[in-house]
Amino acid sequence: MLEGLTQKLTNAFKKFRNKGRLTEADVKEGMREVKLALLEADVNFKVVKEFVNAVTERAVGAQVLESLVPAQQIVKIVNEELIRLMGSEASKLEIAPKPPTVIMMVGLQGAGKTTHCGKLAAMYKKKGKNPLLVACDIYRPAAIDQLKVVGDSIGIPVFSMGSKVSPVEIARAGVEHARKNGFDMVFIDTAGRLHVDETLMAELENIRNTVSPQEILLVVDAMTGQDAVNVAKSFNDLLDISGVVLTKMDGDTRGGAALSVRYITGKPIKFIGTGEKMDMIEPFYPDRMASRILDMGDILSLIEKAEAAYDAKTAAEMERKIREAAFTLEDYLVQLRQLRKMGNIEQLLSMIPGVKTGALKDIAIDESVMNHTEAIVLSMTPEERQNPSVINGSRRKRIAAGCGLTVEDVNKLLRQFDQMKKLMKQFSGRKGMRGIPGLGRLKLPES
């Protein structure tokens, strides 16, 4: 996520770190590098100008120039200004005092409206809400069917009236259906175009005026860079959006949209899409995003993902088994499955402070290896999982045949498990990891 921008800013900060005391000229020279890094990341020019001026003005003050660690002071200022630029605080969805809460999703074709309707609905379903999806895109071929597939995959019903009824009438009827049938949230999937046009905007305005949504969320493809900012401005000028959902943040994103949208529109980024799976969506936290951009990790998001995957009872039981050296292959399999529930492994590693984003790009984390590990363990008998020491040569052949892998694959897993058990007490005692359920206790399968 924003890897290119992170690397460029890291290089710019070296200008400061390579010197002891800084002069005003040193600060301005370093800030030129920061300015170029932001412009190359496709950040809006007005945004770059204001940001650089704000940082420079604070950085040439006596508190920084006379500091024993001026480089760290400047990074701190940059971090604070990035947070301010992106909105300072997280912005939540407005929930209607009287249900249903109506969320209208708008944007251009291909930005991910339909998918993110489902992602948001699934997120709020986990929070105890009873959401309904409403199919108002009657123009794009198979758009209604796509929303139904999304709805089926997350167990959320879809209200549709086919492609012959006007989107305005479908939206009105959908909200009324929700009101009568106990749905407390409505996510309206509207049509997009390849570009902003009068017909699109007129239809969206009619839907807005008919259903009076609590939120109008603009879904924007973050990979389009500066174009994403222009789209956001156009939609905001005509519809007065309440917030933005940035999608495809896991792709080759330069960062321009994330750093420019709030400044240009005055409206907050509320969510970011971080992958294709339905649970790969996160609330947008300006402070956490700034930390990621500056390669400082995002330990809070990592903890939240861990807490969502691990229940307290399981984590406590695992800790007891580790302490008492009673950890088995069955427990190992549980840990592996819990880790998978947390999401993409590379994204998780990038959230850990000190793990350099650039260092991960050449590391191929093959999740099929995790599948192989699971297959091997499942091919064992309950006795073998509890006590791997009974696994002799003939048993290894049987296990390998049962999972379709080789005896060497089985041997590798058993060697790895044996090594892990020897280190388990050391891992469980690490102070920095004890607050994160499961982390520090699980060694990833070797590729």
Side-chain angles (χ1 to χ4, degrees):
M1 191 182 295
L2 310 182
E3 179 186 327
L5 176 58
T6 297
Q7 290 178 338
K8 288 182 174 66
L9 286 177
T10 300
N11 291 335
F13 291 143
K14 287 179 182 177
K15 295 274 186 182
F16 302 121
R17 293 195 182 102
N18 292 338
K19 298 182 180 181
R21 293 294 182 95
L22 294 177
T23 66
E24 187 171 331
D26 292 332
V27 171
K28 289 183 176 178
E29 180 186 353
M31 290 311 299
R32 274 196 292 271
E33 296 290 328
V34 172
K35 180 179 180 179
L36 285 173
L38 293 171
L39 289 173
E40 288 178 16
D42 215 10
V43 180
N44 180 273
F45 177 75
K46 290 181 181 178
V47 176
V48 174
K49 185 177 179 181
E50 179 176 307
F51 177 82
V52 170
N53 287 344
V55 173
T56 302
E57 185 177 338
R58 292 181 59 187
V60 297
Q63 185 180 358
V64 173
L65 296 186
E66 294 176 10
S67 168
L68 294 175
V69 283
Q72 291 180 20
Q73 291 282 352
I74 290 176
V75 173
K76 178 175 179 289
I77 291 170
V78 170
N79 183 53
E80 290 171 353
E81 291 296 325
L82 280 175
I83 294 170
R84 183 185 64 81
L85 187 65
M86 292 186 286
S88 296
E89 295 181 356
S91 181
K92 298 180 179 179
L93 286 187
E94 178 188 343
I95 302 298
K98 182 180 179 182
T101 297
V102 179
I103 313 295
M104 183 175 163
M105 307 286 280
V106 302
L108 299 185
Q109 264 186 31
K113 285 192 304 300
T114 302
T115 302
H116 283 77
C117 263
K119 286 184 178 184
L120 282 174
M123 174 187 284
Y124 278 87
K125 182 181 180 181
K126 287 181 180 178
K127 294 181 179 182
K129 296 293 185 181
N130 184 23
L132 175 70
L133 298 171
V134 177
C136 286
D137 184 354
I138 64 171
Y139 307 108
R140 181 168 60 89
I144 297 172
D145 290 338
Q146 182 191 351
L147 189 64
K148 287 179 178 178
V149 169
V150 167
D152 287 343
S153 72
I154 53 179
I156 294 175
V158 175
F159 179 88
S160 68
M161 297 174 70
S163 58
K164 304 298 183 183
V165 183
S166 79
V168 176
E169 178 57 27
I170 295 170
R172 187 202 61 75
V175 172
E176 187 61 28
H177 176 81
R179 188 173 289 116
K180 290 179 178 178
N181 292 276
F183 294 99
D184 52 15
M185 292 193 85
V186 177
F187 291 89
I188 299 176
D189 182 28
T190 65
R193 304 286 190 277
L194 295 176
H195 59 277
V196 178
D197 62 29
E198 291 181 7
T199 305
L200 167 65
M201 289 303 173
E203 181 175 283
L204 295 176
E205 283 183 293
N206 287 337
I207 294 175
R208 179 196 63 188
N209 295 339
T210 300
V211 300
S212 301
Q214 274 67 45
E215 297 269 0
I216 301 177
L217 296 182
L218 173 64
V219 182
V220 175
D221 181 346
M223 293 179 68
T224 57
Q226 189 61 49
D227 285 342
V229 180
N230 297 333
V231 167
K233 186 176 186 308
S234 298
F235 273 85
N236 187 53
D237 289 346
L238 290 162
L239 290 173
D240 189 24
I241 62 173
S242 59
V244 175
V245 179
L246 279 181
T247 67
K248 305 179 187 177
M249 288 292 287
D250 57 315
D252 184 19
T253 305
R254 287 176 285 179
L259 292 176
S260 305
V261 164
R262 174 63 185 244
Y263 178 92
I264 297 299
T265 66
K267 302 300 169 64
I269 301 170
K270 296 203 172 186
F271 300 94
I272 55 173
T274 57
E276 294 180 4
K277 295 179 182 177
M278 294 308 294
D279 60 349
M280 287 187 168
I281 185 169
E282 301 173 9
F284 181 79
Y285 295 93
D287 55 343
R288 301 184 192 183
M289 183 57 67
S291 290
R292 292 191 199 186
I293 290 172
L294 297 179
D295 222 3
M296 292 158 60
D298 183 3
I299 202 68
L300 288 177
S301 292
L302 185 59
I303 290 171
E304 286 176 1
K305 284 180 178 290
E307 287 177 341
Y310 283 79
D311 63 82
K313 185 176 179 181
T314 302
E317 179 64 13
M318 285 295 177
E319 194 158 0
R320 182 192 65 77
K321 288 188 174 186
I322 291 166
R323 262 198 327 269
E324 297 174 4
F327 193 78
T328 68
L329 278 165
E330 191 78 59
D331 300 322
Y332 184 63
L333 185 59
V334 170
Q335 291 275 288
L336 202 61
R337 287 170 172 170
Q338 298 281 25
L339 183 64
R340 184 181 281 133
K341 280 170 64 179
M342 288 173 63
N344 181 278
I345 303 300
E346 290 179 63
Q347 286 183 18
L348 295 176
L349 290 176
S350 70
M351 292 179 185
I352 300 174
V355 176
K356 300 295 183 184
T357 309
L360 297 174
K361 65 180 180 181
D362 296 323
I363 299 176
I365 300 175
D366 187 355
E367 296 207 19
S368 67
V369 175
M370 298 175 75
N371 296 334
H372 291 169
T373 299
E374 185 173 10
I376 292 170
V377 176
L378 290 176
S379 292
M380 298 176 183
T381 66
E383 180 193 11
E384 290 164 348
R385 293 179 208 169
Q386 294 295 321
N387 183 17
S389 63
V390 304
I391 304 178
N392 56 23
S394 61
R395 288 181 183 240
R396 292 177 193 226
K397 288 180 182 177
R398 191 206 77 245
I399 292 167
C403 63
L405 296 168
T406 67
V407 172
E408 179 53 37
D409 291 325
V410 177
N411 291 340
K412 184 188 291 186
L413 172 62
L414 293 173
R415 284 196 303 269
Q416 179 180 318
F417 181 72
D418 187 52
Q419 292 167 1
M420 184 187 66
K421 284 196 70 171
K422 291 175 183 177
L423 294 170
M424 198 61 81
K425 286 186 180 180
Q426 177 186 340
F427 274 111
S428 66
R430 282 192 175 178
K431 292 180 181 178
M433 291 297 191
R434 291 180 72 88
I436 308 174
L439 294 179
R441 307 186 190 119
L442 176 61
K443 180 179 172 65
L444 285 176
E446 295 172 357
S447 55

